[in-house]
């Protein structure tokens, strides 16, 4: 006998009396079956409910072959009735996002001819996948229309059909048996197995955080209700903090940051030019020799190349190292006059190249100097 699915008939049930049909220990958890349950089992992109049955905390719920199993941390007596409740904030969050998914998917299907090919309510975001690429303008329009439907506070109807309904509806697969249809007038008609709100107004708000290209279509990252509000507050706090640092109003932050970025790039160029001038001066002070071994504290690869170009005619073997003993040294050496493989072996390094070789060694400055002196 299958348990009564209260999550369909009474989706707003928060607490109830639970009659335990069976409780089986498996490893360190208990598999519990009830005569009826408002706990939604994981499926269709919607996570399961969590909550409490008696003294047992329910961490997961799943359905297999019509049997709904509640995973608990403590045993319950078969045949006994317990007070039970679901974690309502989690359930309501899932209902908000599932109803919002119907609304957004219906708009995209109607306006852009795209099909929903994937849906998942994650811990941070809800993702919806479509088989069509959607641009920024389309996303803005979809978000506007979804929130317009929320403001209308339209009823969300749930109906059951023994046979194929006499109208078209969205579905990812062909269905047989009893078909559950969720309808939002003028927006969506879709087969569904998840929990739904009574009306669109309860969604609160739909915010599409981002839309990225995914496979041959698009993936939307979406937030609704309390999650959207939390996201807005977090971003508002960040913008306000940045605005305070820049002495700028929130709506001026982008312009100020852009200006700072341009100044940073200009200063970066000026610094590089100054470094090159310093390298040129230092290079002139180095006398010609059979080999030149040079140590500098913090050189970029481009700065190493500048040294190398300046010293190329002063010695057949040039080795430039940058770093410190406590970490490691990056190097640039003339590969035509030194065995780079031997260098890496003796100095615990890696790297290579033709003409000039780049790499990194984990050895002290004294050990590097002894190697080149030999």
């Amino acid at each position: 006998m299958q348990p009564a699915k209260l999550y369909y008939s009474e989706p707003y049930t928060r607490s109830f009396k639970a009659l335990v049909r069976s409780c089986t220990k498996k490893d360190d958890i208990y598999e519990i079956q009830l005569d009826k349950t408002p706990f939604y089992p994981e499926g269709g992109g919607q996570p399961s409910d969590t909550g409490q049955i008696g003294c047992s905390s329910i961490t997961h719920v799943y359905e297999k072959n019509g049997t709904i199993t509640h995973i608990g941390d403590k045993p319950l007596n078969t045949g006994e009735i317990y007070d039970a409740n679901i974690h309502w904030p989690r359930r309501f969050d899932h209902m908000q996002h599932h109803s919002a998914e119907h609304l957004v998917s219906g708009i995209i299907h109607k306006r852009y001819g795209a099909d929903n090919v994937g849906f998942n309510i994650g811990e941070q975001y809800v993702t919806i996948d479509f088989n069509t690429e959607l641009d920024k303008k389309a996303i803005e329009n979809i978000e506007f229309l979804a929130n317009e439907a929320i403001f209308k506070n339209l009823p969300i109807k749930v109906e059951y059909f023994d046979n194929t309904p006499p109208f078209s509806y969205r579905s990812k697969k062909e269905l047989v048996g009893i078909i559950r249809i969720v309808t939002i007038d003028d927006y969506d008609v879709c087969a569904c197995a998840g929990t739904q709100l009574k009306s669109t107004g309860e969604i609160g708000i739909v915010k599409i955080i981002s839309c990225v290209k995914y496979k041959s279509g698009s993936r939307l990252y979406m937030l609704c209700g309390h999650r959207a509000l939390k996201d807005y507050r977090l971003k508002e706090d960040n913008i306000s903090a940045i605005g305070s640092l820049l002495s700028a109003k929130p709506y001026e932050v982008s312009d100020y940051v852009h200006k700072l970025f341009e100044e940073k790039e200009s200063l970066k160029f000026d610094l590089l030019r100054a470094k090159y001038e310093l390298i040129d001066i230092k290079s002139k002070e180095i006398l010609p020799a059979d080999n030149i071994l040079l140590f500098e504290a913090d050189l970029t690869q481009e700065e190493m190349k500048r040294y190398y170009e300046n010293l190329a005619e002063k010695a057949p073997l040039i080795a430039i190292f940058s770093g410190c003993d406590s970490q490691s040294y990056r190097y640039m050496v003339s590969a035509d006059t030194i065995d780079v493989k031997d260098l890496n072996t003796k100095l615990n390094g890696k790297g290579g190249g033709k003409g000039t070789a780049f790499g990194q060694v984990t050895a002290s400055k004294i050990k590097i100097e002894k190697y080149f002196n030999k």
Side-chain angles (χ1 to χ4, degrees):
M1 182 178 178
Q2 294 187 357
K5 300 177 179 180
L6 299 183
Y7 50 83
Y8 282 156
S9 59
E10 302 173 27
Y12 285 80
T13 296
R14 305 186 190 195
S15 59
F16 69 111
K17 298 289 185 179
L19 171 63
V20 176
R21 280 184 176 172
S22 68
C23 180
T24 306
K25 191 176 190 303
K26 185 176 182 181
D27 299 326
D28 58 347
I29 54 110
Y30 294 87
E31 297 183 333
I32 304 163
Q33 280 89 45
L34 308 176
D35 65 326
K36 59 185 177 182
T37 181
F39 284 86
Y40 181 79
E42 181 180 16
Q46 180 173 327
S48 75
D49 288 326
T50 58
Q52 197 84 16
I53 302 175
C55 64
S56 190
S57 294
I58 305 303
T59 57
H60 184 64
V61 184
Y62 69 91
E63 181 177 7
K64 185 176 181 181
N65 299 325
T67 298
I68 298 174
T69 300
H70 309 71
I71 303 301
D73 64 345
K74 291 181 176 63
L76 300 174
N77 297 324
T78 300
E80 192 167 329
I81 296 175
Y82 293 89
D83 288 325
N85 60 79
I86 68 169
H87 183 213
W88 180 250
R90 175 184 170 92
R91 154 65 78 78
F92 190 68
D93 172 80
H94 293 170
M95 290 169 72
Q96 284 184 311
H97 285 87
H98 205 138
S99 293
E101 177 267 321
H102 277 252
L103 188 57
V104 170
S105 295
I107 290 169
I108 293 175
H109 180 73
K110 191 173 182 179
R111 296 271 177 162
Y112 301 95
D115 294 319
N116 177 324
V117 293
F119 166 62
N120 181 65
I121 300 177
E123 289 294 328
Q124 188 173 8
Y125 299 107
V126 168
T127 58
I128 316 175
D129 299 333
F130 295 93
N131 57 2
T132 298
E133 289 189 47
L134 300 165
D135 59 23
K136 185 175 182 293
K137 186 177 180 181
I139 292 301
E140 289 177 352
N141 186 45
I142 293 160
E143 186 178 82
F144 175 83
L145 293 173
N147 284 288
E148 188 177 56
I150 290 171
F151 304 152
K152 292 177 182 178
N153 197 26
L154 300 169
I156 299 174
K157 296 183 294 185
V158 178
E159 300 174 283
Y160 292 85
F161 296 86
D162 293 331
N163 300 301
T164 302
F167 49 79
S168 61
Y169 61 91
R170 292 192 304 109
S171 179
K172 292 186 181 72
K173 59 183 180 180
E174 187 174 344
L175 302 175
V176 294
I178 297 175
I179 300 175
R180 184 171 181 262
I181 300 293
V182 173
T183 302
I184 305 173
D185 284 345
D186 299 325
Y187 287 91
D188 190 40
V189 181
C190 183
C192 175
T195 55
Q196 297 289 338
L197 298 169
K198 293 177 182 177
S199 66
T200 58
E202 290 184 281
I203 296 171
I205 188 172
V206 164
K207 181 60 188 173
I208 299 174
I209 301 299
S210 67
C211 178
V212 299
K213 185 177 180 180
Y214 181 72
K215 296 182 178 179
S216 59
S218 302
R219 169 167 285 182
L220 269 61
Y221 290 82
M222 181 181 75
L223 293 176
C224 305
H226 292 294
R227 287 203 214 185
L229 178 60
K230 184 179 178 180
D231 181 73
Y232 177 85
R233 284 175 175 168
L234 180 62
K235 289 174 179 175
E236 179 72 10
D237 289 345
N238 274 275
I239 290 173
S240 295
I242 294 169
S244 296
L245 290 172
L246 300 176
S247 297
K249 295 177 181 178
Y251 294 105
E252 296 174 348
V253 165
S254 178
D255 292 336
Y256 272 72
V257 171
H258 186 72
K259 183 179 179 182
L260 282 176
F261 180 80
E262 290 179 340
E263 291 175 354
K264 187 198 83 168
E265 289 300 304
S266 178
L267 289 171
K268 185 178 176 181
F269 178 78
D270 290 342
L271 178 61
L272 181 61
R273 183 171 58 188
K275 283 185 174 181
Y276 277 1
E277 289 175 356
L278 183 60
I279 288 171
D280 292 344
I281 292 170
K282 288 182 177 180
S283 298
K284 289 178 181 179
E285 296 175 351
I286 297 174
L287 299 175
D290 292 335
N291 65 73
I292 294 175
L293 177 60
L294 182 68
F295 288 89
E296 286 275 359
D298 188 20
L299 293 176
T300 65
Q301 193 172 94
E302 292 302 317
E303 290 163 1
M304 285 183 176
K305 288 180 181 179
R306 184 78 171 197
Y307 259 123
Y308 192 90
E309 290 169 357
N310 289 342
L311 301 174
E313 295 182 359
K314 293 190 176 185
L317 190 158
I318 299 169
I320 303 167
F321 286 80
S322 177
C324 61
D325 284 6
S326 61
Q327 296 179 2
S328 61
Y329 288 90
R330 290 178 293 106
Y331 69 74
M332 179 179 180
V333 300
S334 48
D336 292 340
T337 52
I338 190 170
D339 186 341
V340 178
K341 185 176 180 181
D342 181 69
L343 180 152
N344 288 329
T345 301
K346 299 290 177 57
L347 299 179
N348 189 27
K350 58 182 179 180
K354 294 182 179 179
T356 55
F358 293 91
Q360 183 172 325
V361 297
T362 304
S364 67
K365 181 180 178 182
I366 293 174
K367 189 172 182 180
I368 295 171
E369 288 175 330
K370 284 183 180 180
Y371 177 82
F372 279 92
N373 286 336
K374 289 182 181 180

